[in-house]
Amino acid sequence: METLKDKFKVQKERAILVAAAQRGESGYKYNDLSELSALAESAGAAIVYKLQQKIDRINPSTYIGRGKAELLGEHAESEKADVVIFDNDLSPAQIRELEKVVGVRVIDRSELILDIFATRARTRQAKLQVELAQLQYTYPRLTRLWSHLDTVAGAAGGAGAAGAVGGIGTRGTGEKQLEIDRRLVNKRITELKREIEGIDKRKMREIKGRHDQYKVSLVGYTNAGKSTLMNALTDAEVFVEDRLFATLDTRTRKWSVDKGVEVLLSDTVGFVSHLPHHLVASFKATLEEAVHADLLLQVVDVSDEDVFEQIKSVDQVLDDIGCGEKERLVLFNKSDALASEANLESLQAIYPDAICISARTGMNLDLLAQAVLDRYRQEEMTVRVKIALSDGKTQSFLRGYCEILEENYTDSHVEIEARLGKSQLPALKSLKPAELRLDA
């Protein structure tokens, strides 16, 4: 028998949102449910009721207490709700008990985010990553899904005492269906990890193969405008839509920030507060773009009322993946859509070097390019290289990735003075030019 929550179909289902606030050092901290509302709507739900509840401690049975759960059931009935979505993470036992009391499906925040990711995944890599995250989330929550199989015995089973059914080697108490489910899930998790590991290795080789280029990565809260900015700066043609997690796949394109200066610009999956750790682990290869970047462009939606919480959430995820101390340039996107400048003034006091932009209109994107160019040139050095005329590979490298300052030809060699980034120096040395000098 399936539990009520086993299938959450992405359609216009009527949803009730619930958030429980526990007492902390500064009292009860309420969540206005705006983010959960956006997540639910992104999954295709219609919000019909919202409930916030103060709790001194988590009820081990229903999380919010049985009385409140019964009241929730009344609202579910009167509003003809199809699903109840909690902003809190629930245990399997709490979900089962709540479904008995409320009478409709109950899911928690993590399951909702996983469901959204499942509907957004397009590439093979993203689909595998989402499936792995879902199975890792589901594994500890497995319950017996079929009531007609208590135990599995041999094919020759029939009436008689336990242990007397089945053929030789199959007799005994049998195997619980739950154990079979867990074994199958474990096997699939192992298969997915192996396949994703292969993709990750290829991805890492791609990223490490770019060591001779300056790498910039876009990071930020979901729906902050990263994909729109990516399209505005390059010809990436990334899918853009005003919804959370519109894109899950990383794209990397060349961005010409100045004549003769190109950097690699990568988009990353959007962050959200309390992003399930299974997703962070599964999307490790995607997030490696940020880990190996020379510069992070943190895109902030300054038109959002929860902008401070969103910045905090992004900072937390960056810390989790080891990017907390990486050089970062903050971009205040959607500056042209501000209803009030109060938030902007407060943010500018905290981030005085941030740039106000509009990815949609192109406002101040020239200032952004200049800021990236300045940081690129902080990492630059001037070199003098003597190259044999027959050494086309080294010449091609210098002309493709460096700024040529001067060239002098002799009968057998060309001497080139060029400016390049420090990260490109090892690649130049590996080409073994006839002579290489670094200018002070």
Side-chain angles (χ1 to χ4, degrees), residues 224 242 300-305 332-344 356-361 363:
D242 186 18
V300 178
D301 179 4
V302 290
S303 67
D304 197 292
E305 294 179 357
F332 293 151
N333 192 30
K334 306 183 185 180
S335 299
D336 58 328
L338 286 175
S340 168
E341 294 193 0
N343 271 358
L344 183 58
C356 293
I357 67 166
S358 171
R360 183 179 60 84
T361 66
M363 183 184 82

Side-chain angles (χ1 to χ4, degrees), residues 407-420:
E407 292 182 66
N408 292 303
Y409 287 85
T410 64
D411 290 340
S412 59
H413 289 81
V414 57
E415 291 186 0
I416 297 179
E417 181 180 359
R419 186 180 292 122
L420 77 163

Side-chain angles (χ1 to χ4, degrees), residues 31-191:
N31 185 334
D32 66 0
L33 289 172
S34 60
E35 183 178 90
L36 189 65
S37 296
L39 287 168
E41 288 167 358
S42 185
I47 313 303
V48 296
Y49 187 75
K50 296 180 181 181
L51 174 68
Q52 292 178 309
Q53 170 68 10
K54 292 190 298 184
I55 57 174
D56 293 319
R57 62 181 181 84
I58 295 173
N59 186 297
S61 178
T62 60
Y63 200 97
I64 56 175
R66 190 166 190 87
K68 210 65 177 179
E70 290 173 352
L71 178 62
L72 190 59
E74 293 174 9
H75 284 297
E77 184 177 2
S78 63
E79 298 290 346
K80 294 182 173 57
D82 301 299
V83 61
V84 172
I85 306 172
F86 272 72
D87 200 34
N88 316 87
D89 283 331
L90 304 175
S91 71
Q94 288 166 342
I95 290 176
R96 287 195 299 272
E97 191 61 31
L98 280 165
E99 286 181 339
K100 290 177 185 176
V101 178
V102 177
V104 298
R105 295 191 311 281
V106 176
I107 65 173
D108 60 13
R109 177 190 181 86
S110 292
E111 192 167 359
L112 175 63
I113 294 175
L114 286 169
D115 185 89
I116 295 170
F117 267 61
T119 64
R120 302 287 191 270
R122 293 291 178 268
T123 65
R124 174 70 174 163
Q125 181 184 8
K127 289 176 180 178
L128 291 174
Q129 290 167 328
V130 170
E131 184 182 354
L132 176 61
Q134 286 180 317
L135 288 177
Q136 289 175 325
Y137 174 84
T138 302
Y139 181 78
R141 290 164 167 77
L142 281 175
T143 57
R144 192 180 306 136
L145 300 180
W146 294 276
S147 59
H148 64 285
L149 288 175
D150 181 27
T151 59
V152 176
V165 296
I168 295 173
T170 65
R171 291 173 284 203
T173 57
E175 184 175 26
K176 292 184 183 297
Q177 184 65 46
L178 177 59
E179 292 167 355
I180 294 176
D181 293 342
R182 284 179 172 161
R183 191 171 68 249
L184 291 173
V185 169
N186 252 331
K187 182 181 178 183
R188 181 58 180 159
I189 286 175
T190 302
E191 292 171 351

Side-chain angles (χ1 to χ4, degrees), residues 3 13 25 31 58 71 81 86 101 124 147 151 188 214 247 250-251 267 299 324 373 376 395 414 421 430:
T3 59
E13 295 183 281
E25 294 180 359
N31 185 334
I58 295 173
L71 178 62
F86 272 72
V101 178
R124 174 70 174 163
S147 59
T151 59
R188 181 58 180 159
Y214 192 78
T247 53
T250 299
R251 292 201 182 187
D267 192 9
V299 184
L373 181 63
Y376 173 85
Q395 292 184 54
V414 57
S430 70

Side-chain angles (χ1 to χ4, degrees), residues 369-379:
Q370 184 60 49
V372 172
L373 181 63
D374 291 343
R375 282 162 174 76
Y376 173 85
R377 286 189 167 154
Q378 286 175 4
E379 299 292 320

